[in-house]
Amino acid sequence: MTRPSPLIRRRWLGREIRRLREEYNLAAEPLARVLGFPRKQLSALENGRLGPDIDLVSGICDYLGIGANRRAAIMDAATDGWARGWWAADAERMGPRQALYADLESGTDVISEYVFALVPGLLQTAAFADARLRCEPARYGDRFDPSAAVAARATRQRLLLAPDGPRYDVVLDEAAIRRCAAEPHIVAEQLRHIVSVCSQHPNVTVRVLPIGASLKGHSAPRSAYSIYRYRDPQHSVAVAVDTLTEDHIHTEPDQVDPYQHLHARLKAAALDPAPSLHTLAAAAQDLTPMQGAAA
């Protein structure tokens, strides 16, 4: 089983520390002062930035006299928040956004996604991923290496398809399979790959959302997103919303719940898995030149 996502564990820890302060009616400044830590260090802890200061976390528990079970959960989260996953050492070469997604995927029980423009990274072939990564070099830093990024995608896919991997539930907008985001033969092979993965791995389900599908409440999604449900003791849930320049990570229930409700509506409007795979196979066939056809 993969390790818990360090980012999500830090986020939970930060919320728990804020909750403790509210329960004990303590402002951040006096608490930090009595513990002998800078206010900004407590702020960083509560915001889930970087590895948590174990001494600060332990000091808060001691000062407030937290019970043994709650203290153990807090200290476990603090330890998990310091973990460095396989993606950390090569984050710049694979791209920091992909490293973020590798972090989010770690320790998941279920991953649910909606994509409307591109095949999701967890289902991309090496050829498709390479074509996409090389088409927009300005989006990446100087140390970015497309080959390292493709290799990182392969590692993420291997973890997804491992015996203890999460369930993966994708709603794939028809636009993503009709628009050629790479050369037609690459896209055709990509679509066949999705059919093959779904056929061989029961933990992966893809549903195609037709262009003309009627959505309950006419609530069309505004962006691609991923919902992560974790195996941690708190059963954490997070949402990553994909935009052109950055990914927004939501962990508060009032931010997460609307995406879970939306995903249920999208699944209801999408084709069932079997006709979805038929649609993908037909789209791949449409992109494949007839044998003997004129060049």
Side-chain angles (χ1 to χ4, degrees):
M1 183 180 295
T2 54
R3 301 181 66 167
S5 162
L7 171 60
I8 297 306
R9 298 296 277 153
R10 293 196 302 269
R11 287 286 188 98
W12 179 84
L13 176 64
R15 290 198 306 276
E16 188 68 3
I17 295 300
R18 287 197 303 274
R19 193 177 295 120
L20 280 172
R21 285 202 300 102
E22 292 167 0
E23 290 176 12
Y24 286 83
N25 196 28
L26 282 170
E29 182 68 39
L31 177 60
R33 186 168 56 248
V34 75
L35 293 173
F37 285 86
R39 167 68 179 83
K40 63 181 181 181
Q41 203 161 337
L42 178 58
S43 176
L45 171 63
E46 294 188 358
N47 290 327
R49 296 196 300 266
L50 305 177
D53 189 304
I54 301 296
D55 289 338
L56 174 56
V57 176
S58 180
I60 292 172
C61 292
D62 289 342
Y63 181 71
L64 299 180
I66 304 304
N69 290 342
R70 193 174 188 183
R71 180 192 177 100
I74 289 171
M75 296 310 298
D76 284 349
T79 300
D80 291 340
W82 264 108
R84 285 175 58 85
W86 63 267
W87 57 86
D90 214 21
E92 291 188 19
R93 293 179 68 239
M94 75 170 67
R97 293 183 74 173
Q98 179 165 206
L100 170 63
Y101 277 91
D103 186 328
L104 289 168
E105 290 158 7
S106 185
T108 49
D109 185 41
V110 181
I111 301 173
S112 303
E113 290 191 320
Y114 166 71
V115 289
F116 69 90
L118 294 171
V119 171
L122 283 172
L123 292 176
Q124 289 180 7
T125 63
F128 186 90
D130 186 69
R132 294 304 311 162
L133 291 165
R134 294 181 187 277
C135 75
E136 298 177 294
R139 292 184 60 189
Y140 304 101
D142 293 339
R143 294 195 59 196
F144 177 74
D145 180 352
S147 297
V150 171
R153 268 179 170 72
T155 299
R156 292 167 58 204
Q157 292 165 6
R158 176 176 55 78
L159 293 170
L160 171 70
L161 301 179
D164 64 346
R167 286 189 290 120
Y168 185 43
D169 165 39
V170 183
V171 175
L172 181 61
D173 202 293
E174 187 179 2
I177 66 176
R178 299 298 180 187
R179 180 180 297 114
C180 274
E183 292 295 321
H185 71 279
I186 293 177
V187 177
E189 185 57 35
Q190 170 65 75
L191 299 180
R192 292 192 188 95
H193 173 74
I194 296 174
V195 174
S196 175
V197 169
C198 291
S199 300
Q200 297 177 41
H201 299 276
N203 66 313
V204 178
T205 304
V206 172
R207 294 174 175 85
V208 173
L209 180 68
I211 296 291
S214 177
L215 295 174
K216 184 178 180 181
H218 306 288
S219 53
R222 301 182 182 184
S223 59
Y225 61 80
S226 304
I227 304 171
Y228 304 92
R229 296 174 179 84
Y230 292 92
R231 297 167 175 166
D232 63 346
Q234 291 75 35
H235 303 293
S236 301
V237 181
V239 173
V241 182
D242 183 3
T243 74
L244 180 63
T245 56
E246 61 182 321
D247 301 285
H248 299 285
I249 311 303
H250 302 303
T251 53
E252 299 290 347
D254 63 339
Q255 300 170 322
V256 168
D257 289 349
Y259 285 94
Q260 297 192 92
H261 296 319
L262 173 60
H263 197 72
R265 294 195 296 273
L266 293 179
K267 286 176 65 174
L271 300 175
D272 287 337
S276 293
L277 297 188
H278 177 77
T279 299
L280 291 167
Q285 186 61 40
D286 291 343
L287 291 169
T288 304
M290 297 287 291
Q291 268 193 333

